[in-house]
Amino acid sequence: MPETITTLNPANEEIIKLYDTMSDAQLLDRLDAAHHRFQTWRHTSLQERQDHLLAIADGLDRKQDEYAHLITNEMGKPLSQSKAEISKCAAVCRYYANHSGDVLAESTKALDDSTIASTYTRPLGVILSIMPWNFPFWQVMRFVAPNLMTGNVCMLKHAPNVTGCALALESLMKEVGLPQDCFSVILADHKQVGQVLMDYRVRGVTLTGSDRAGKAIASQAGEALKKSVLELGGSDPYIVLDDADLNLAVETCVASRLINSGQTCISAKRFIVTKSVAGEFTERVIQAMSRKSYGNPLDDVDLGPLAREDLRDKVHSQVLQSIDQGAKLALNGQIPEGTGFYYPPTVLTSVSSGMPAFDDEIFGPVASVIEAQDEAQAVAIANQSRYGLGAAIFSKDIERAEYLAAHEIEAGSCAINDFVRSHPAATFGGIKDSGYGRELGSQGLLEFANIKTVTKQS
């Protein structure tokens, strides 16, 4: 019997729509169709793939308002941020349409006086993507755009609460003329996802989600010897040094922490501040966070609700556990009365190792302030984490900050006097429990590719 998927508006707790998961037979049909499509898609020219990506970008632009409202209704993101997400999706399509040729081009070199080696970049086949709800269009398109250009076909298993977003993307692909089954959506339960992953027609898998989900998918992919890319959680440290511009540091840290109502893997999580500026910085953070508004995400607010009730409850539990273990509540930290899964901007101080606010990822609008004696201790605290996704350093000594970012901070991305963000042209990914593999940039074209060497005698 199929399971029922329910999409729920987190702002008013009203049901949006019900869907049924697919039967095993329907999933096999989807796999078979995708596999057969690959046999023709892999032979298409780069120009043809480019034309399709540009058509997708234009379609996203045309339907920006419709898709933004869908995002906001399904997962609660403020509408202005949902619109920005759609614009970013169009941008990643145009980036790969215009910047893939050189990366995918054949290269040739002489190995010796009589042997020439040519390198070809060839697609692998059907790639399964398992995507989260927090950026329901962007997370998909940053995978789809480079992989379509490489010549792969893409299959999406999306988070259940954004099923409408998944199906809207599938509909768009058909509407703009992308060949049938180059992109397909499956509505499947956990057991069925495992079966799809293990099917011989699936040649790779990418997942964005929790470290627990990543370990499960990595185990299955490893058993089947299939390439996997994992972008998992983060407890990103933002280091504020003695010579930082405090106005800039406060504004940037707060903005990063509250993007998407705090539900962002690469947002600032731990504010690590050297002792000489800790008091002033903390007070300014509390003031800045207290001025942020939350409410109906269709209105002009800074924060909407969290995406699900259980996610809001987990955030609150992590806050309470941290307080029980010695953290001090400096701002808010209570579940508001009324309808909707809201959580106010919250600040914890006196945070230390062993607390959820230090050790874990709090996926909500909670800032954890940690005092360090000096630069060396600040870096040590930053690296005292099982995660390694993003980080930032605030200092007027740019040369010193760049050295720390490049050589000392254990993270896949590090910003200086700014917050970490993904960009189509910049390679993105994490280390440690934040995953492995890279997305975006030129590497995004190559993760699911066969880099083939052909030698011949001259």
Side-chain angles (χ1 to χ4, degrees), residues 397-415:
D397 186 342
I398 303 301
E399 183 176 352
R400 177 62 181 167
E402 186 170 2
Y403 174 84
L404 294 174
H407 301 288
E408 300 297 335
I409 300 299
E410 298 172 359
S413 299
C414 193

Side-chain angles (χ1 to χ4, degrees), residues 239-316:
I239 298 173
V240 181
L241 297 177
D242 291 345
D243 65 341
D245 179 334
L246 288 189
N247 288 331
L248 174 65
V250 169
E251 179 183 355
T252 306
C253 288
V254 170
S256 175
R257 175 67 283 210
L258 298 183
I259 291 172
N260 201 18
S261 306
Q263 302 168 117
T264 306
C265 298
I266 52 172
S267 68
K269 307 290 195 331
R270 295 178 295 147
F271 299 176
I272 303 169
V273 195
T274 50
K275 186 175 182 178
S276 67
V277 293
E280 184 178 357
F281 174 85
T282 302
E283 185 57 37
R284 291 194 191 185
V285 165
I286 294 168
Q287 292 173 1
M289 294 276 279
S290 69
R291 291 192 292 267
K292 299 300 181 179
S293 61
Y294 66 93
N296 187 338
L298 295 174
D299 295 336
D300 184 18
V301 294
D302 297 305
L303 290 81
L306 301 195
R308 299 194 312 261
E309 184 176 19
D310 63 305
L311 298 170
R312 191 265 308 271
D313 291 346
K314 180 178 180 180
V315 167
H316 189 52

